[in-house]
Amino acid sequence: MNRLFCFPCLLFLISSGTVWVAGGYSDLNNLPNALNKHERSAAHYESQIALKTFGSTRIDLLIDKQKQLSIDIHNEKVKDNREILKKLICATCFLIRQELAFRGDNENKESLNRGNYIELLKYTAKFDEKLAHHLQSSSVFSGISNKIQNDLIEAVGTVVVNNIKEEIAKAAFIAIEVDESTDISNTAQCSTVLEHVYMYMYWTLKLKKYL
């Protein structure tokens, strides 16, 4: 007995659940309705597209590859920016630890001394190609503006204060010392010293003082 098959579906349809692929269509009395129904099915559309584009470039695959490439480039840029930010934070922490001033009297590009922060980054860039490229080419976020310097100082200060709060919350003993003196302009100056004892590795007691 003669049976009808759908050629595109036979070639490209993954599932064989339809009669046009599995065993063939044999009800010729209802052929027009069945044919119309099959031609409007999503599976037949996909098979037709696959047949038309067989051997040629798939636009959808190109779009997916371009999208993935854009994501990879973005992720790589984010990774590089994080590395640059780490170096800026390290420079900030170094100057704070050494109690050195950040800003300079003249921070213009023509200045021979643009301040400790910028000069430290310039010196570090001599041994770091990525940092050197960033300082020379970045136009959106270079990390050397006075606002960025203030933001970094504030951020590092917040982390330090939070760490002190955590240590104090765990401390066994706490002492607060307040001292006041008057300067030459007859203005009162007040200093507060916070001391606490906390336990760390091997139950060793250590005294820490914050001024």
Side-chain angles (χ1 to χ4, degrees), residues 10-180:
L10 274 174
L11 293 176
F12 298 101
L13 189 61
I14 298 176
S15 174
S16 59
T18 175
V19 68
W20 295 91
V21 175
Y25 188 81
S26 60
D27 187 3
L28 299 181
N29 293 328
N30 295 318
L31 178 61
N33 292 334
L35 186 62
N36 185 44
K37 181 179 179 181
H38 176 69
E39 288 179 343
R40 293 185 178 184
S41 66
H44 180 74
Y45 281 140
E46 292 177 0
S47 299
Q48 280 282 61
I49 293 174
L51 178 61
K52 293 292 185 181
T53 58
F54 181 72
S56 60
T57 303
R58 290 279 301 275
I59 300 300
D60 55 338
L61 294 180
L62 287 179
I63 293 176
D64 290 341
K65 290 182 180 179
Q66 183 61 38
K67 183 179 179 180
Q68 185 61 45
L69 179 61
S70 299
I71 293 175
D72 293 340
I73 294 175
H74 172 74
N75 291 339
E76 188 66 25
K77 184 64 176 177
V78 170
K79 180 181 178 181
D80 291 341
N81 288 340
R82 287 177 176 173
E83 291 297 323
I84 294 298
L85 185 57
K86 287 181 181 179
K87 295 177 175 63
L88 300 182
I89 294 175
C90 288
T92 302
C93 292
F94 175 81
L95 295 178
I96 292 175
R97 188 182 302 112
Q98 298 302 116
E99 299 183 2
L100 298 175
F102 277 63
R103 306 292 303 282
D105 295 332
N106 184 2
E107 296 184 355
N108 294 329
K109 292 184 177 181
E110 296 78 13
S111 175
L112 297 178
N113 187 351
R114 301 176 65 185
N116 291 326
Y117 177 77
I118 297 179
E119 294 300 329
L120 177 60
L121 291 178
K122 287 170 59 179
Y123 177 79
T124 306
K126 293 181 180 180
F127 312 98
D128 192 318
E129 294 182 0
K130 287 187 176 181
L131 179 60
H133 176 74
H134 173 79
L135 295 177
Q136 294 174 1
S137 62
S138 179
S139 58
V140 178
F141 175 76
S142 62
I144 62 176
S145 68
N146 58 349
K147 184 179 184 307
I148 295 300
Q149 294 182 45
N150 292 336
D151 289 342
L152 289 173
I153 294 172
E154 182 179 355
V156 172
T158 300
V159 172
V160 172
V161 171
N162 289 338
N163 288 339
I164 294 175
K165 289 180 179 179
E166 291 179 2
E167 289 185 0
I168 293 175
K170 300 176 182 178
F173 306 98
I174 300 174
I176 299 177
E177 178 184 346
V178 181
D179 188 22
E180 181 195 3

